[in-house]
C-alpha cells in the first residue's frame, strides 16, 4: 500500500523530463529516479551502441535493479523515455511531455546527438510514439499529456502535478488506506 504516489515522467529525449523531475523532487520531497543513471550505474545494459551513442538496455536487469530499490513502494518520480516496462501496479500517474519539433531540434542539436539519432527522435515526437506507448500500457485516466516548450509551461506543469500529488494523498487518507 503506497502512501506516496509513483509518477512516470516520460517523452522523447529532450522534452524536459529531467528538468521537470528535478524541480518536482525538490518541491515535493519525492525521489527522482533517473532511469538512465540506474542503467549506467548498475550496468543494466548489454553494451554500448556506438552509432546511437547510448547503452543497449537490458530490461530484465533494469527491472531487477528498480525492484531492489523498492520503487514499487512509492514516492518516486521515474524519469525515462519509455514507460511500458514498468508493471501497471507500480504506477499512479503517467505524465507524457510534448514539444514542438523545431524546439526539440534545437535542444537535441545542442546536445550534439548523432544525425541519425536526432532525426529518429524528431520523427518519434511527431508520430507521438511515447504518448501512444503510455496509452497502450496504462489506464487512460492516469495518462496526462503536457507541453514543455517554455519555462512558463514547465512551471505550470509542475504546479499541476504538485496539486495532483496533494489530491492523491488526501484521497488515500480519506479512504483510510483502502
Ligand atoms: P530530457 O530529460 O527529456 O531529455 P531535459 O530535462 O534534459 O530533457 O531538457 C533538455 C534541455 O531542454 C535542457 O537544456 C533543458 O534546460 C531544456 N528544457 C527542458 N524543458 C524546458 C522547458 N519547458 N522550457 C525551456 N527549456 C526546457
Amino acid at each position: 500500500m503506497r502512501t506516496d504516489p509513483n509518477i512516470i515522467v516520460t517523452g522523447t529525449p529532450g522534452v524536459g523530463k529531467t528538468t521537470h523531475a528535478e524541480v518536482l523532487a525538490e518541491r515535493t520531497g519525492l525521489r527522482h529516479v533517473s532511469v538512465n543513471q540506474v542503467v549506467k550505474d548498475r550496468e543494466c545494459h548489454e553494451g554500448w551502441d556506438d552509432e546511437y551513442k547510448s547503452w543497449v538496455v537490458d530490461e530484465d536487469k533494469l527491472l531487477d535493479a528498480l525492484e531492489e530499490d523498492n520503487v514499487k513502494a512509492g514516492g518516486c518520480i521515474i524519469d525515462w523515455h519509455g514507460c511500458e516496462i514498468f508493471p501497471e501496479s507500480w504506477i499512479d500517474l503517467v505524465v507524457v511531455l510534448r514539444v514542438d519539433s523545431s524546439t526539440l531540434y534545437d535542444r537535441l542539436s545542442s546536445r550534439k546527438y548523432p544525425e541519425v539519432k536526432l532525426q529518429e527522435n524528431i520523427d518519434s515526437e511527431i508520430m507521438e510514439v511515447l504518448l501512444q506507448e503510455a496509452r497502450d500500457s496504462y489506464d487512460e485516466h492516469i495518462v496526462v499529456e503536457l507541453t514543455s516548450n517554455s519555462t512558463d509551461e514547465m512551471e505550470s506543469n509542475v504546479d499541476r502535478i504538485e496539486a495532483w500529488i496533494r489530491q492523491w494523498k488526501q484521497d488515500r487518507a480519506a479512504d483510510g488506506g483502502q
Side-chain angles (χ1 to χ4, degrees):
M1 199 58 227
R2 287 189 280 278
T3 52
D4 285 305
N6 274 332
I7 301 172
I8 300 178
V9 179
T10 190
T12 310
V15 290
K17 299 181 293 294
T18 302
T19 311
H20 280 71
E22 281 174 352
V23 176
L24 267 169
E26 205 179 287
R27 290 210 202 152
T28 61
L30 299 194
R31 172 158 63 114
H32 174 200
V33 177
S34 163
V35 174
N36 282 334
Q37 202 61 46
V38 175
V39 168
K40 208 160 96 184
D41 293 349
R42 313 276 282 279
E43 299 188 349
C44 308
H45 56 75
E46 298 159 354
W48 179 253
D49 183 322
D50 213 36
E51 186 186 9
Y52 282 83
K53 307 279 177 229
S54 63
W55 297 107
V56 181
V57 176
D58 180 329
E59 294 183 354
D60 290 335
K61 274 194 198 163
L62 173 60
L63 269 185
D64 286 348
L66 295 174
E67 201 134 36
E68 271 169 33
D69 290 350
N70 212 13
V71 164
K72 73 173 170 204
C76 296
I77 318 251
I78 302 167
D79 158 13
W80 207 36
H81 58 266
C83 63
E84 66 188 358
I85 74 159
F86 310 109
E88 248 188 295
S89 61
W90 288 16
I91 305 301
D92 301 294
L93 179 70
V94 182
V95 176
V96 184
L97 297 177
R98 305 296 314 280
V99 284
D100 296 340
S101 42
S102 59
T103 308
L104 188 60
Y105 184 91
D106 292 344
R107 290 188 194 164
L108 295 181
S109 303
S110 69
R111 270 187 187 172
K112 309 212 181 329
Y113 264 29
E115 187 59 31
V116 59
K117 188 170 163 184
L118 192 149
Q119 202 50 57
E120 252 179 45
N121 280 307
I122 305 270
D123 290 349
S124 158
E125 183 59 17
I126 293 168
M127 306 285 290
E128 308 192 323
V129 171
L130 271 309
L131 180 62
Q132 201 52 51
E133 180 177 318
R135 288 181 174 157
D136 290 344
S137 309
Y138 298 94
D139 187 296
E140 61 178 324
H141 296 111
I142 71 161
V143 177
V144 185
E145 179 186 11
L146 298 173
T147 51
S148 169
N149 292 298
S150 64
T151 309
D152 281 353
E153 283 183 346
M154 195 265 285
E155 286 292 332
S156 89
N157 294 341
V158 170
D159 287 348
R160 213 172 136 179
I161 299 166
E162 254 193 299
W164 180 91
I165 294 170
R166 271 196 303 274
Q167 188 64 50
W168 185 94
K169 291 174 83 154
Q170 268 176 26
D171 292 349
R172 282 295 149 119
D175 285 352
Q178 291 308 297

